[in-house]
Amino acid sequence: MKYAALIEVKTGVSRFVDRDAELLLQDFIPPAAPLMISDAITGCRFVFLTLPLGRHGVRHRSPHQQIAGILSGSYRPDA
């Protein structure tokens, strides 16, 4: 499964990169049937964020590594 991660590149700016999570058939919520699920990703904070349509941000350093889950709409990373 693909997901977007926000990383800091060598130039010191943030950018989204596509990553892959391997999904394996596992017992996750027995007695329900096994589900395709990835290994857990450790996290220390979780926030929701809403961005206005057409927003273009200014390149900046990321304060920490982040994973972005798009619940509605889409994103287009800069080239």
Side-chain angles (χ1 to χ4, degrees):
M1 182 175 92
K2 290 201 177 293
Y3 66 94
L6 185 61
I7 64 165
E8 183 179 325
V9 295
K10 291 180 183 179
T11 58
V13 296
S14 304
R15 68 180 289 254
F16 284 105
V17 294
D18 290 330
R19 296 227 170 124
D20 289 304
E22 182 179 10
L23 302 178
L24 300 172
L25 191 61
Q26 301 180 47
D27 284 322
F28 184 62
I29 48 174
L35 300 170
M36 297 298 288
I37 189 166
S38 72
D39 288 337
I41 298 172
T42 303
C44 62
R45 294 176 36 186
F46 184 88
V47 299
F48 288 98
L49 172 70
T50 300
L51 299 173
L53 182 65
R55 179 187 183 276
H56 294 280
V58 176
R59 291 190 175 269
H60 63 282
R61 285 188 176 273
S62 177
H64 39 75
Q65 189 174 41
Q66 302 175 48
I67 294 173
I70 310 300
L71 301 180
S72 177
S74 62
Y75 83 97
R76 183 176 56 208
D78 293 337

